[in-house]
PDB file of all heavy atoms in Angstrom:
ATOM      1  N   LYS A   9       0.782  -1.199  -0.023  1.00  0.00           N
ATOM      2  CA  LYS A   9       0.041  -0.025  -0.034  1.00  0.00           C
ATOM      3  C   LYS A   9       0.826   1.209   0.022  1.00  0.00           C
ATOM      4  O   LYS A   9       0.319   2.409  -0.366  1.00  0.00           O
ATOM      5  CB  LYS A   9      -0.922   0.018   1.214  1.00  0.00           C
ATOM      6  CG  LYS A   9      -0.147  -0.038   2.514  1.00  0.00           C
ATOM      7  CD  LYS A   9      -1.173  -0.079   3.704  1.00  0.00           C
ATOM      8  CE  LYS A   9      -0.413  -0.060   5.066  1.00  0.00           C
ATOM      9  NZ  LYS A   9      -1.433  -0.145   6.209  1.00  0.00           N
ATOM     10  N   ASP A  10       2.036   1.118   0.342  1.00  0.00           N
ATOM     11  CA  ASP A  10       3.048   2.302   0.418  1.00  0.00           C
ATOM     12  C   ASP A  10       3.734   2.378  -1.028  1.00  0.00           C
ATOM     13  O   ASP A  10       4.587   3.316  -1.186  1.00  0.00           O
ATOM     14  CB  ASP A  10       4.061   2.133   1.463  1.00  0.00           C
ATOM     15  CG  ASP A  10       3.504   2.141   2.789  1.00  0.00           C
ATOM     16  OD1 ASP A  10       2.464   2.824   3.029  1.00  0.00           O
ATOM     17  OD2 ASP A  10       3.984   1.400   3.750  1.00  0.00           O
ATOM     18  N   GLY A  11       3.345   1.661  -1.952  1.00  0.00           N
ATOM     19  CA  GLY A  11       3.974   1.731  -3.326  1.00  0.00           C
ATOM     20  C   GLY A  11       5.340   0.973  -3.435  1.00  0.00           C
ATOM     21  O   GLY A  11       6.056   1.251  -4.399  1.00  0.00           O
ATOM     22  N   ASN A  12       5.637   0.193  -2.449  1.00  0.00           N
ATOM     23  CA  ASN A  12       6.968  -0.611  -2.610  1.00  0.00           C
ATOM     24  C   ASN A  12       6.694  -1.809  -3.461  1.00  0.00           C
ATOM     25  O   ASN A  12       5.679  -2.512  -3.344  1.00  0.00           O
ATOM     26  CB  ASN A  12       7.439  -0.976  -1.210  1.00  0.00           C
ATOM     27  CG  ASN A  12       7.633   0.199  -0.328  1.00  0.00           C
ATOM     28  OD1 ASN A  12       8.454   1.192  -0.781  1.00  0.00           O
ATOM     29  ND2 ASN A  12       7.267   0.202   0.867  1.00  0.00           N
ATOM     30  N   PHE A  13       7.630  -2.217  -4.464  1.00  0.00           N
ATOM     31  CA  PHE A  13       7.570  -3.291  -5.205  1.00  0.00           C
ATOM     32  C   PHE A  13       7.996  -4.434  -4.562  1.00  0.00           C
ATOM     33  O   PHE A  13       9.291  -4.599  -4.253  1.00  0.00           O
ATOM     34  CB  PHE A  13       8.340  -2.938  -6.501  1.00  0.00           C
ATOM     35  CG  PHE A  13       7.551  -2.164  -7.511  1.00  0.00           C
ATOM     36  CD1 PHE A  13       7.454  -0.840  -7.252  1.00  0.00           C
ATOM     37  CD2 PHE A  13       7.032  -2.716  -8.632  1.00  0.00           C
ATOM     38  CE1 PHE A  13       6.796   0.003  -8.231  1.00  0.00           C
ATOM     39  CE2 PHE A  13       6.340  -1.993  -9.525  1.00  0.00           C
ATOM     40  CZ  PHE A  13       6.123  -0.544  -9.350  1.00  0.00           C
ATOM     41  N   LEU A  14       7.164  -5.339  -4.179  1.00  0.00           N
ATOM     42  CA  LEU A  14       7.554  -6.535  -3.422  1.00  0.00           C
ATOM     43  C   LEU A  14       8.041  -7.710  -4.299  1.00  0.00           C
ATOM     44  O   LEU A  14       8.933  -8.473  -4.042  1.00  0.00           O
ATOM     45  CB  LEU A  14       6.384  -7.166  -2.643  1.00  0.00           C
ATOM     46  CG  LEU A  14       5.769  -6.076  -1.700  1.00  0.00           C
ATOM     47  CD1 LEU A  14       4.517  -6.684  -0.943  1.00  0.00           C
ATOM     48  CD2 LEU A  14       6.775  -5.672  -0.584  1.00  0.00           C
ATOM     49  N   LEU A  15       7.503  -7.733  -5.588  1.00  0.00           N
ATOM     50  CA  LEU A  15       7.798  -8.885  -6.467  1.00  0.00           C
ATOM     51  C   LEU A  15       7.507  -8.450  -7.897  1.00  0.00           C
ATOM     52  O   LEU A  15       6.501  -7.765  -8.162  1.00  0.00           O
ATOM     53  CB  LEU A  15       6.965 -10.149  -6.167  1.00  0.00           C
ATOM     54  CG  LEU A  15       7.370 -11.371  -6.972  1.00  0.00           C
ATOM     55  CD1 LEU A  15       8.758 -11.853  -6.597  1.00  0.00           C
ATOM     56  CD2 LEU A  15       6.217 -12.465  -6.778  1.00  0.00           C
ATOM     57  N   GLN A  16       8.317  -8.801  -8.871  1.00  0.00           N
ATOM     58  CA  GLN A  16       8.119  -8.570 -10.180  1.00  0.00           C
ATOM     59  C   GLN A  16       8.534  -9.713 -11.012  1.00  0.00           C
ATOM     60  O   GLN A  16       9.561 -10.279 -10.795  1.00  0.00           O
ATOM     61  CB  GLN A  16       8.670  -7.132 -10.715  1.00  0.00           C
ATOM     62  CG  GLN A  16      10.265  -7.143 -10.508  1.00  0.00           C
ATOM     63  CD  GLN A  16      10.712  -5.836 -10.861  1.00  0.00           C
ATOM     64  OE1 GLN A  16      10.309  -5.272 -11.858  1.00  0.00           O
ATOM     65  NE2 GLN A  16      11.684  -5.259 -10.112  1.00  0.00           N
ATOM     66  N   GLY A  17       7.706 -10.065 -11.973  1.00  0.00           N
ATOM     67  CA  GLY A  17       8.063 -11.150 -12.866  1.00  0.00           C
ATOM     68  C   GLY A  17       7.338 -11.116 -14.207  1.00  0.00           C
ATOM     69  O   GLY A  17       6.827  -9.996 -14.611  1.00  0.00           O
ATOM     70  N   GLY A  18       7.253 -12.214 -14.939  1.00  0.00           N
ATOM     71  CA  GLY A  18       6.668 -12.230 -16.215  1.00  0.00           C
ATOM     72  C   GLY A  18       7.686 -12.757 -17.303  1.00  0.00           C
ATOM     73  O   GLY A  18       8.805 -13.043 -16.970  1.00  0.00           O
ATOM     74  N   ALA A  19       7.232 -12.746 -18.495  1.00  0.00           N
ATOM     75  CA  ALA A  19       8.037 -13.148 -19.630  1.00  0.00           C
ATOM     76  C   ALA A  19       9.155 -12.293 -19.805  1.00  0.00           C
ATOM     77  O   ALA A  19      10.335 -12.682 -20.229  1.00  0.00           O
ATOM     78  CB  ALA A  19       7.226 -13.365 -20.923  1.00  0.00           C
ATOM     79  N   GLN A  20       9.020 -10.949 -19.600  1.00  0.00           N
ATOM     80  CA  GLN A  20      10.119  -9.933 -19.724  1.00  0.00           C
ATOM     81  C   GLN A  20      10.786  -9.784 -18.306  1.00  0.00           C
ATOM     82  O   GLN A  20      10.130  -9.246 -17.414  1.00  0.00           O
ATOM     83  CB  GLN A  20       9.568  -8.643 -20.215  1.00  0.00           C
ATOM     84  CG  GLN A  20       8.918  -8.748 -21.661  1.00  0.00           C
ATOM     85  CD  GLN A  20       8.274  -7.392 -22.105  1.00  0.00           C
ATOM     86  OE1 GLN A  20       8.370  -6.422 -21.454  1.00  0.00           O
ATOM     87  NE2 GLN A  20       7.702  -7.423 -23.304  1.00  0.00           N
ATOM     88  N   THR A  21      12.005 -10.105 -18.252  1.00  0.00           N
ATOM     89  CA  THR A  21      12.711 -10.173 -17.024  1.00  0.00           C
ATOM     90  C   THR A  21      13.490  -8.756 -16.704  1.00  0.00           C
ATOM     91  O   THR A  21      13.989  -8.717 -15.662  1.00  0.00           O
ATOM     92  CB  THR A  21      13.751 -11.284 -17.030  1.00  0.00           C
ATOM     93  OG1 THR A  21      14.652 -11.193 -18.032  1.00  0.00           O
ATOM     94  CG2 THR A  21      12.961 -12.666 -17.114  1.00  0.00           C
ATOM     95  N   ALA A  22      13.505  -7.875 -17.539  1.00  0.00           N
ATOM     96  CA  ALA A  22      14.267  -6.660 -17.427  1.00  0.00           C
ATOM     97  C   ALA A  22      13.675  -5.838 -16.262  1.00  0.00           C
ATOM     98  O   ALA A  22      12.474  -5.893 -16.151  1.00  0.00           O
ATOM     99  CB  ALA A  22      14.343  -5.837 -18.607  1.00  0.00           C
ATOM    100  N   GLN A  23      14.526  -5.316 -15.372  1.00  0.00           N
ATOM    101  CA  GLN A  23      13.932  -4.608 -14.302  1.00  0.00           C
ATOM    102  C   GLN A  23      13.460  -3.148 -14.755  1.00  0.00           C
ATOM    103  O   GLN A  23      13.950  -2.635 -15.601  1.00  0.00           O
ATOM    104  CB  GLN A  23      15.097  -4.320 -13.274  1.00  0.00           C
ATOM    105  CG  GLN A  23      15.708  -5.643 -12.657  1.00  0.00           C
ATOM    106  CD  GLN A  23      14.621  -6.309 -11.729  1.00  0.00           C
ATOM    107  OE1 GLN A  23      13.910  -5.667 -11.048  1.00  0.00           O
ATOM    108  NE2 GLN A  23      14.709  -7.611 -11.882  1.00  0.00           N
ATOM    109  N   LEU A  24      12.394  -2.792 -14.010  1.00  0.00           N
ATOM    110  CA  LEU A  24      11.912  -1.497 -14.223  1.00  0.00           C
ATOM    111  C   LEU A  24      12.763  -0.295 -13.674  1.00  0.00           C
ATOM    112  O   LEU A  24      13.460  -0.524 -12.566  1.00  0.00           O
ATOM    113  CB  LEU A  24      10.490  -1.255 -13.612  1.00  0.00           C
ATOM    114  CG  LEU A  24       9.298  -2.065 -14.317  1.00  0.00           C
ATOM    115  CD1 LEU A  24       7.974  -1.851 -13.542  1.00  0.00           C
ATOM    116  CD2 LEU A  24       9.202  -1.660 -15.696  1.00  0.00           C
ATOM    117  N   SER A  25      12.715   0.854 -14.311  1.00  0.00           N
ATOM    118  CA  SER A  25      13.463   1.972 -13.832  1.00  0.00           C
ATOM    119  C   SER A  25      12.667   2.620 -12.831  1.00  0.00           C
ATOM    120  O   SER A  25      11.533   2.200 -12.592  1.00  0.00           O
ATOM    121  CB  SER A  25      13.788   2.910 -14.900  1.00  0.00           C
ATOM    122  OG  SER A  25      12.538   3.427 -15.485  1.00  0.00           O
ATOM    123  N   LEU A  26      13.283   3.502 -11.977  1.00  0.00           N
ATOM    124  CA  LEU A  26      12.653   4.274 -10.948  1.00  0.00           C
ATOM    125  C   LEU A  26      11.485   5.061 -11.533  1.00  0.00           C
ATOM    126  O   LEU A  26      10.498   5.203 -10.818  1.00  0.00           O
ATOM    127  CB  LEU A  26      13.648   5.185 -10.183  1.00  0.00           C
ATOM    128  CG  LEU A  26      14.728   4.370  -9.363  1.00  0.00           C
ATOM    129  CD1 LEU A  26      15.593   5.438  -8.741  1.00  0.00           C
ATOM    130  CD2 LEU A  26      14.051   3.536  -8.308  1.00  0.00           C
ATOM    131  N   GLU A  27      11.670   5.666 -12.707  1.00  0.00           N
ATOM    132  CA  GLU A  27      10.691   6.479 -13.244  1.00  0.00           C
ATOM    133  C   GLU A  27       9.365   5.662 -13.598  1.00  0.00           C
ATOM    134  O   GLU A  27       8.248   6.009 -13.435  1.00  0.00           O
ATOM    135  CB  GLU A  27      11.188   7.101 -14.539  1.00  0.00           C
ATOM    136  CG  GLU A  27      12.218   8.243 -14.270  1.00  0.00           C
ATOM    137  CD  GLU A  27      13.600   7.679 -14.064  1.00  0.00           C
ATOM    138  OE1 GLU A  27      13.738   6.441 -14.161  1.00  0.00           O
ATOM    139  OE2 GLU A  27      14.476   8.380 -13.685  1.00  0.00           O
ATOM    140  N   ASP A  28       9.686   4.340 -14.074  1.00  0.00           N
ATOM    141  CA  ASP A  28       8.588   3.392 -14.474  1.00  0.00           C
ATOM    142  C   ASP A  28       7.870   3.044 -13.220  1.00  0.00           C
ATOM    143  O   ASP A  28       6.590   3.000 -13.222  1.00  0.00           O
ATOM    144  CB  ASP A  28       9.086   2.231 -15.248  1.00  0.00           C
ATOM    145  CG  ASP A  28       9.627   2.538 -16.661  1.00  0.00           C
ATOM    146  OD1 ASP A  28       9.246   3.660 -17.145  1.00  0.00           O
ATOM    147  OD2 ASP A  28      10.430   1.740 -17.089  1.00  0.00           O
ATOM    148  N   LYS A  29       8.549   2.744 -12.117  1.00  0.00           N
ATOM    149  CA  LYS A  29       7.913   2.432 -10.863  1.00  0.00           C
ATOM    150  C   LYS A  29       7.001   3.588 -10.340  1.00  0.00           C
ATOM    151  O   LYS A  29       5.955   3.380  -9.843  1.00  0.00           O
ATOM    152  CB  LYS A  29       8.976   1.985  -9.836  1.00  0.00           C
ATOM    153  CG  LYS A  29       9.656   0.672 -10.207  1.00  0.00           C
ATOM    154  CD  LYS A  29      10.625   0.290  -9.042  1.00  0.00           C
ATOM    155  CE  LYS A  29      11.292  -1.047  -9.389  1.00  0.00           C
ATOM    156  NZ  LYS A  29      12.240  -1.467  -8.409  1.00  0.00           N
ATOM    157  N   ASP A  30       7.585   4.715 -10.402  1.00  0.00           N
ATOM    158  CA  ASP A  30       6.907   5.954  -9.903  1.00  0.00           C
ATOM    159  C   ASP A  30       5.632   6.179 -10.785  1.00  0.00           C
ATOM    160  O   ASP A  30       4.613   6.527 -10.335  1.00  0.00           O
ATOM    161  CB  ASP A  30       7.710   7.168  -9.965  1.00  0.00           C
ATOM    162  CG  ASP A  30       8.909   7.087  -8.918  1.00  0.00           C
ATOM    163  OD1 ASP A  30       8.764   6.322  -7.974  1.00  0.00           O
ATOM    164  OD2 ASP A  30       9.844   7.922  -9.105  1.00  0.00           O
ATOM    165  N   LEU A  31       5.673   5.855 -12.082  1.00  0.00           N
ATOM    166  CA  LEU A  31       4.583   6.057 -12.831  1.00  0.00           C
ATOM    167  C   LEU A  31       3.451   5.048 -12.541  1.00  0.00           C
ATOM    168  O   LEU A  31       2.310   5.482 -12.532  1.00  0.00           O
ATOM    169  CB  LEU A  31       5.008   5.829 -14.368  1.00  0.00           C
ATOM    170  CG  LEU A  31       3.850   6.026 -15.460  1.00  0.00           C
ATOM    171  CD1 LEU A  31       3.405   7.473 -15.408  1.00  0.00           C
ATOM    172  CD2 LEU A  31       4.472   5.781 -16.837  1.00  0.00           C
ATOM    173  N   LEU A  32       3.727   3.774 -12.313  1.00  0.00           N
ATOM    174  CA  LEU A  32       2.734   2.774 -11.992  1.00  0.00           C
ATOM    175  C   LEU A  32       2.204   3.084 -10.629  1.00  0.00           C
ATOM    176  O   LEU A  32       0.970   2.960 -10.406  1.00  0.00           O
ATOM    177  CB  LEU A  32       3.427   1.384 -11.981  1.00  0.00           C
ATOM    178  CG  LEU A  32       3.743   0.698 -13.220  1.00  0.00           C
ATOM    179  CD1 LEU A  32       4.457  -0.550 -12.985  1.00  0.00           C
ATOM    180  CD2 LEU A  32       2.583   0.542 -14.029  1.00  0.00           C
ATOM    181  N   VAL A  33       3.054   3.654  -9.638  1.00  0.00           N
ATOM    182  CA  VAL A  33       2.449   3.945  -8.357  1.00  0.00           C
ATOM    183  C   VAL A  33       1.470   5.131  -8.457  1.00  0.00           C
ATOM    184  O   VAL A  33       0.478   5.145  -7.762  1.00  0.00           O
ATOM    185  CB  VAL A  33       3.665   4.240  -7.369  1.00  0.00           C
ATOM    186  CG1 VAL A  33       3.112   4.908  -6.001  1.00  0.00           C
ATOM    187  CG2 VAL A  33       4.456   3.023  -7.030  1.00  0.00           C
ATOM    188  N   SER A  34       1.860   6.145  -9.356  1.00  0.00           N
ATOM    189  CA  SER A  34       0.935   7.263  -9.500  1.00  0.00           C
ATOM    190  C   SER A  34      -0.427   6.765 -10.102  1.00  0.00           C
ATOM    191  O   SER A  34      -1.378   7.345  -9.831  1.00  0.00           O
ATOM    192  CB  SER A  34       1.650   8.354 -10.437  1.00  0.00           C
ATOM    193  OG  SER A  34       1.803   7.809 -11.699  1.00  0.00           O
ATOM    194  N   ARG A  35      -0.402   5.890 -11.073  1.00  0.00           N
ATOM    195  CA  ARG A  35      -1.523   5.436 -11.682  1.00  0.00           C
ATOM    196  C   ARG A  35      -2.430   4.732 -10.585  1.00  0.00           C
ATOM    197  O   ARG A  35      -3.686   4.762 -10.503  1.00  0.00           O
ATOM    198  CB  ARG A  35      -1.365   4.316 -12.706  1.00  0.00           C
ATOM    199  CG  ARG A  35      -0.693   4.949 -13.971  1.00  0.00           C
ATOM    200  CD  ARG A  35      -1.638   5.955 -14.685  1.00  0.00           C
ATOM    201  NE  ARG A  35      -1.106   6.365 -16.030  1.00  0.00           N
ATOM    202  CZ  ARG A  35      -0.231   7.419 -16.162  1.00  0.00           C
ATOM    203  NH1 ARG A  35       0.024   8.051 -15.086  1.00  0.00           N
ATOM    204  NH2 ARG A  35       0.197   7.723 -17.341  1.00  0.00           N
TER     205      ARG A  35
END
């Protein structure tokens, strides 16, 4: 609920940038 990424996975394994994470949290 604080916007921390606990786990990320899927077919694309590349890590998200900080900007991408902030964008998802803002959405």
Side-chain angles (χ1 to χ4, degrees):
K9 61 181 179 180
D10 297 325
N12 298 315
F13 281 73
L14 303 177
L15 184 69
Q16 54 182 325
Q20 300 178 1
T21 58
Q23 296 294 320
L24 286 182
S25 63
L26 292 177
E27 293 79 5
D28 292 340
K29 291 181 178 180
D30 293 340
L31 183 60
L32 287 176
V33 172
S34 66
R35 293 292 188 273

